[in-house]
Amino acid sequence: MKNDNIQNTVTVIGGGLGGLFVAAFLSKEGYRVTVLEKNKVIGGGLQTFNRHGVSFETGMHLLGGMREGGALNKICRYLGIYDKMDIRDTDHDCMDQITYFSDEKTYRVPEGREAFAEYFASEFPSERDNIHAYVDAIYKMVDEIDFFYLRPNNEHVYTHSEEFMWPADEFVAHYIKDPKLRDLLSYMNPMFGGVKGKTPTYIHALINVLYIDGPSRFAVNSQQMADALADIISQNGGAVIGGDKVVNIDIVDKMITALHTQNGNVYSSDYYISAIHPFEMLKMTDSKAFSKAFRDRIAEAPNSYSSFCAYFIFKPDSFPFINHTCYCQQDYGKVWNYAEYDAEDWPRGFMYMTPCEKNQGKYAVKMVVNAIMPYSAVERWSDTSTGKRGEEYDEWKQWHINKILDRMEILYPGFSDKVEYMFGSSPLTIRDYYDEPEGALYGMFKDCNNIAQSQVSIYTKVRNLFMTGQNINLHGFCGVPLTAVNTAEAIVGHNVILNKINEYNASV
């Protein structure tokens, strides 16, 4: 139902996960919201593309927090979009499968806090007490973060345990003695860009707890969430506009007065929200409202690593559907060093999955393989654009697809014969489609040794400009919508939306 009680207007720069969620929250609060997305297709990491009549997700392959009682489940029910999406659970007895080529060992990890701990305890009996202590520690740490559980909080008071900002690899080693088990318990690194000696433990804990509690996945495609959020916005008098990139921001006396787009349109609002990388936003204005020190800090802040993706379309009824995520490692001891690139040694590890179709049967239609890759591997083509990178780049890309094929042949002899079509994408693709510098999968890299460098506040020196997205607080399918709650509440009032989400879910 359309909301006729319009209070103020808001314009959001960026129609990805963060931009769409913050716009949906505000539109539900009575604000007329306009979302401006540079790509014709909205959604950012939610968007899908088609090849040979088959739909592929660009980013959101795994969903945490969508099970009953999860934060995203509650948020989606509050917004009224949960029942508009087709979401399936992964296998309960095997949420993840991890294979090491070095010893040909495969681990099948079940979901659930106790089952997860007991599984690894059965594989490493001498570490039983240590494993339970480790699992208890990550759950205790996540419990320190109120917004992860949609708990109202005092925004000015933050207290955390000493371990919160330890390097995550040192945290794992503190509890676990066996080197192989240390590596195993860090297998989710590709989900958050973990780097040895730098990634804070709280990120490791959040991602692990999120998925141990039970992952889900979209059936057909992830675009359905973007479309559902856009419907909420339009039903409440707003609009989501694709294919019109913001190119300039007018700022007078530390207030935005207008946004200008590449199509010559001008947008003026009471409030503005940037849901894109801060570096890209700063390029849109030369205003002295943003100090040189701030600009330099954002420009110099390191970004997370990127990824090479291989896509396979199978011949009919040839490859089995796998209802969980699979991880592969060349050897133990490499999981914290994915940011390093050696062409001959690549990929040190990768994850693959067979996405779910609407009427999913015994056989898979397609497969997506993600192999971590730093931007430096493609930097020589940094001045090129999609579809115009040249023959050398195409050959380079096919060489990397073939490297992945070689690994898949080891896992599934005859794999190549089951593939009808194959193609790939590189960090350049991520850079160009998502406006993420260096194709950063998870935005600005958070270094526990210098966390202030990558800390970006929701609030800015421009009084009517706020920030949201994966560079604020936490990245990912769960972290970005939770940050969107915080951003929307910067306008409507602290804990206002949070309380409404909880009250709604308590009443149903």
Side-chain angles (χ1 to χ4, degrees):
M1 181 178 293
K2 184 177 179 179
N3 189 337
D4 294 318
N5 182 28
I6 300 298
Q7 299 175 3
N8 287 286
T9 55
V10 181
T11 300
V12 179
I13 305 171
L17 188 67
L20 291 173
F21 264 102
V22 76
F25 288 132
L26 289 171
S27 66
K28 196 172 175 68
E29 289 295 308
Y31 292 76
R32 181 181 288 119
V33 187
T34 301
V35 180
L36 301 174
E37 165 57 37
K38 81 177 189 77
N39 293 321
K40 290 183 179 180
V41 180
I42 64 168
L46 290 170
Q47 66 182 299
T48 60
F49 66 93
N50 288 281
R51 292 287 187 278
H52 306 287
V54 177
S55 173
F56 284 90
E57 297 159 347
T58 58
M60 296 299 170
H61 306 297
L62 286 175
L63 318 179
M66 287 300 291
R67 298 289 183 88
E68 191 71 30
L72 259 292
N73 182 295
K74 292 179 179 179
I75 285 173
C76 290
R77 290 186 186 279
Y78 166 74
L79 289 173
I81 64 171
Y82 183 83
D83 293 331
K84 297 179 180 179
M85 300 181 294
D86 191 350
I87 294 174
R88 315 282 179 87
D89 292 347
T90 54
D91 292 334
H92 302 299
D93 60 343
C94 179
M95 66 167 186
D96 289 323
Q97 176 178 309
I98 314 157
T99 298
Y100 285 83
F101 290 117
S102 58
D103 62 3
E104 299 181 346
K105 172 71 174 177
T106 294
Y107 302 86
R108 294 175 58 84
V109 185
E111 67 177 47
R113 178 174 177 172
E114 186 62 23
F116 179 91
E118 275 301 306
Y119 173 76
F120 284 109
S122 69
E123 293 286 337
F124 296 85
S126 65
E127 293 271 15
R128 176 176 295 277
D129 291 343
N130 293 336
I131 292 166
H132 280 277
Y134 161 79
V135 172
D136 289 346
I138 61 173
Y139 271 84
K140 181 180 178 181
M141 184 175 295
V142 172
D143 194 50
E144 297 176 26
I145 306 170
D146 287 327
F147 88 103
F148 186 79
Y149 291 108
L150 299 174
R151 292 193 298 252
N153 61 83
N154 183 334
E155 62 180 328
H156 302 297
V157 178
Y158 298 98
T159 57
H160 296 300
S161 61
E162 177 191 351
E163 297 174 336
F164 200 81
M165 291 300 297
W166 283 7
D169 58 304
E170 293 181 17
F171 171 84
V172 175
H174 176 75
Y175 287 92
I176 306 299
K177 308 308 176 188
D178 189 300
K180 286 187 175 182
L181 182 56
R182 290 176 180 176
D183 199 83
L184 262 171
L185 291 175
S186 305
Y187 79 89
M188 291 189 198
N189 271 10
M191 302 296 293
F192 58 85
V195 174
K196 184 178 182 179
K198 295 185 176 183
T199 299
T201 292
Y202 79 89
I203 294 177
H204 169 86
L206 280 166
I207 298 301
N208 277 263
V209 166
L210 190 64
Y211 290 106
I212 290 171
D213 283 347
S216 306
R217 63 202 312 194
F218 288 111
V220 185
N221 61 56
S222 51
Q223 190 70 42
Q224 56 187 298
M225 174 171 273
D227 294 341
L229 290 166
D231 286 345
I232 295 294
I233 297 161
S234 61
Q235 287 166 15
N236 287 296
V240 180
I241 301 169
D244 199 9
K245 181 180 181 178
V246 175
V247 294
N248 194 61
I249 303 174
D250 293 338
I251 301 176
V252 179
D253 294 330
K254 294 188 176 181
M255 293 283 285
I256 295 181
T257 56
L259 302 179
H260 301 265
T261 71
Q262 64 184 6
N263 294 342
N265 296 312
V266 181
Y267 294 87
S268 294
S269 297
D270 299 299
Y271 301 100
Y272 301 83
I273 296 172
S274 173
I276 62 177
H277 194 290
F279 181 76
E280 296 299 323
M281 184 274 291
L282 289 171
K283 286 163 58 176
M284 298 172 180
T285 179
D286 59 3
S287 172
K288 291 184 172 52
F290 297 104
S291 68
K292 182 178 184 302
F294 178 74
R295 288 178 179 273
D296 288 346
R297 177 166 70 85
I298 296 301
E300 295 167 5
N303 291 297
S304 57
Y305 49 55
S306 192
S307 175
F308 184 95
C309 298
Y311 305 91
F312 301 104
I313 299 175
F314 295 117
K315 297 172 183 176
D317 300 341
S318 63
F319 191 87
F321 171 68
I322 304 170
N323 192 32
H324 56 258
T325 306
C326 301
Y327 296 81
C328 290
Q329 321 281 11
Q330 278 192 43
D331 199 357
Y332 299 89
K334 298 178 181 290
V335 75
W336 289 103
N337 302 100
Y338 281 145
E340 301 168 4
Y341 175 76
D342 178 344
E344 295 306 317
D345 191 33
W346 185 92
R348 292 180 173 180
F350 58 92
M351 55 188 290
Y352 66 93
M353 61 211 75
T354 54
C356 183
E357 301 298 316
K358 186 173 183 60
N359 297 308
Q360 183 60 58
K362 179 180 177 181
Y363 294 99
V365 172
K366 59 202 175 190
M367 175 182 284
V368 179
V369 181
N370 290 324
I372 296 304
M373 176 180 283
Y375 185 72
S376 58
V378 295
E379 202 161 14
R380 57 186 141 157
W381 295 289
S382 61
D383 294 332
T384 64
S385 58
T386 303
K388 301 176 181 178
R389 307 201 197 278
E391 184 177 341
E392 182 188 12
Y393 172 77
D394 290 338
E395 291 175 354
W396 174 91
K397 195 161 60 169
Q398 186 59 53
W399 186 86
H400 284 76
I401 293 173
N402 290 341
K403 292 275 281 186
I404 291 173
L405 268 177
D406 290 343
R407 301 291 193 278
M408 297 309 297
E409 280 290 343
I410 296 172
L411 293 167
Y412 303 98
F415 180 87
S416 299
D417 293 335
K418 303 176 189 301
V419 175
E420 189 165 14
Y421 301 104
M422 68 182 81
F423 49 97
S425 64
S426 79
L428 293 169
T429 313
I430 298 170
R431 180 199 68 176
D432 293 347
Y433 275 93
Y434 298 157
D435 257 359
E436 286 291 333
E438 300 181 344
L441 270 183
Y442 310 115
M444 297 167 67
F445 177 73
K446 291 179 173 57
D447 186 342
C448 63
N449 304 298
N450 187 10
I451 199 67
Q453 186 179 38
S454 59
Q455 289 282 57
V456 181
S457 173
I458 286 167
Y459 300 91
T460 74
K461 296 295 185 181
V462 178
R463 294 190 298 275
N464 61 345
L465 172 65
F466 304 89
M467 305 283 284
T468 202
Q470 71 172 356
N471 295 285
I472 318 297
N473 289 336
L474 185 68
H475 70 270
F477 180 77
C478 190
V480 170
L482 287 170
T483 299
V485 174
N486 295 155
T487 303
E489 289 188 339
I491 295 174
V492 306
H494 186 56
N495 287 335
V496 169
I497 295 174
L498 201 60
N499 286 333
K500 289 182 178 180
I501 293 170
N502 288 320
E503 289 167 4
Y504 174 83
N505 282 277
S507 68
V508 295

